[in-house]
């Protein structure tokens, strides 16, 4: 059977724990065929980001036209956008209806703390997203309000949903709530708290990329958003647990995308 095609629009991570490389791993692990459009090239590893080279908007547009002109893309996810001009190119394609089942992961800051994108670039895409997946820090940057508690995450998700996306997930992996990782999903007039045991590990590089990529795969398969989000959370929890004892690099390492340690 022909696999469903997913498109990731994101930056390249030379350490391969996040960005385009992580997305393609997730697609393959979950049985989808991954295509890609690069927005930027980074020099990075588990310790941090050493350099960023944003690609010209024309180059991004040419990649996008090549992929969409040949493949029947069933879902799309975005990560690092690079520049507002690149965000404009992607938003134009979304507005024209060329980016189905769009998942927007507002990648603003790397795990190392290096700034990777701008708030205005992300806001440009939000009206066209089916799902947006900010973590708490990104939700705070996008809403201009603190997001440190579950209640504040709910308020931020509601505020972001008012900006366009019918579904918003504020992920809680960056905060410990009584030993749990609690994500907040707002959409369809409902608020859902998705809970999972916190995995004690420093290896969490690419968690947000992997989560949004997994959502895109499940949306392409026809799952409703709440089912897709729950499945993605289960997948990332397993991937975190699998890499818990890995020693890849000297900083926060990548996830076990393929279940090698299961």
């Amino acid at each position: 059977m022909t696999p469903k095609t997913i498109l990731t629009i994101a930056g390249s991570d030379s350490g391969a724990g996040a960005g385009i490389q992580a997305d393609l791993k997730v697609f393959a692990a979950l049985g989808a065929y991954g295509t890609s459009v690069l927005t930027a090239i980074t020099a990075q590893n588990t310790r941090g980001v050493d350099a960023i080279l944003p690609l010209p908007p024309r180059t991004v547009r040419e990649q996008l036209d090549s992929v969409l002109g040949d493949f029947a893309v069933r879902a799309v996810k975005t990560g690092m956008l690079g520049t507002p001009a690149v965000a404009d190119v992607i938003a134009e394609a979304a507005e024209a209806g060329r980016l189905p089942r769009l998942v927007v992961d507002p990648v603003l800051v790397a795990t190392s703390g290096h700034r990777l994108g701008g708030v205005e670039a992300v806001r440009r895409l939000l009206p066209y997203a089916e799902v947006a997946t900010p973590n708490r820090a990104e939700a705070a940057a996008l809403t201009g309000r603190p997001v440190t508690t579950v209640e504040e995450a709910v308020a931020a998700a509601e505020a972001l949903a008012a900006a366009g996306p019918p579904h918003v997930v504020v992920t809680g992996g960056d905060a410990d709530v009584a030993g749990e990782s609690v994500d907040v999903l707002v959409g369809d007039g409902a608020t859902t708290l998705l809970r999972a045991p916190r995995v004690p590990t420093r290896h969490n590089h690419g968690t947000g990329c992997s989560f949004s990529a997994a959502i895109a795969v499940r949306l392409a398969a026809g799952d409703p958003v709440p089912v897709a989000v729950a499945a993605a959370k289960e997948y990332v929890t397993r991937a975190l647990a699998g890499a818990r004892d890995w020693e890849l690099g000297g900083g926060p390492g990548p996830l076990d995308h393929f279940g090698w340690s299961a």
Side-chain angles (χ1 to χ4, degrees), residues 37-57:
V37 168
L38 267 66
T39 59
I41 298 170
T42 71
Q44 66 173 294
N45 52 33
T46 65
R47 296 181 185 274
V49 180
D50 296 315
I52 298 176
L53 175 65
L55 294 183

Side-chain angles (χ1 to χ4, degrees), residues 147-213:
V147 183
T148 58
T149 67
V150 172
E151 292 74 20
E152 289 172 344
V154 171
E158 291 173 344
L160 290 172
H167 301 89
V168 176
V169 187
V170 177
T171 60
D174 51 349
D176 195 324
V177 181
E180 292 184 311
S181 169
V182 182
D183 298 344
V184 173
L185 169 62
V186 168
D188 298 326
T191 298
T192 305
L193 302 184
L194 296 98
R195 302 177 181 273
R198 173 169 292 281
V199 178
T201 178
R202 67 181 171 89
H203 300 309
N204 58 3
H205 183 52
T207 306
C209 302
S210 301
F211 178 66
S212 55

Side-chain angles (χ1 to χ4, degrees), residues 18-145:
I20 287 282
Q21 288 85 346
D23 293 342
L24 294 176
K25 291 175 188 178
V26 173
F27 298 160
L30 297 180
Y33 182 78
T35 58
S36 60
V37 168
L38 267 66
T39 59
I41 298 170
T42 71
Q44 66 173 294
N45 52 33
T46 65
R47 296 181 185 274
V49 180
D50 296 315
I52 298 176
L53 175 65
L55 294 183
R58 176 179 175 179
T59 302
V60 174
R61 180 180 288 107
E62 289 170 343
Q63 293 176 81
L64 196 57
D65 289 343
S66 289
V67 172
L68 297 178
D70 188 37
F71 293 92
V73 171
R74 297 289 296 271
V76 181
K77 69 141 292 187
T78 64
M80 177 185 178
L81 300 176
T83 65
V86 166
D88 286 343
V89 169
I90 301 166
E92 288 168 8
E95 187 175 20
R98 303 176 69 198
L99 305 182
R101 313 303 299 267
L102 178 60
V103 181
V104 173
D105 179 16
V107 177
L108 298 177
V109 179
T111 306
S112 62
H114 196 291
R115 190 166 297 277
L116 297 177
V119 168
E120 289 309 315
V122 172
R123 285 181 178 151
R124 182 79 172 85
L125 278 186
L126 288 179
Y128 309 106
E130 183 165 348
V131 189
T133 63
N135 61 30
R136 293 188 182 204
E138 291 160 348
L142 289 167
T143 60
R145 64 179 71 177

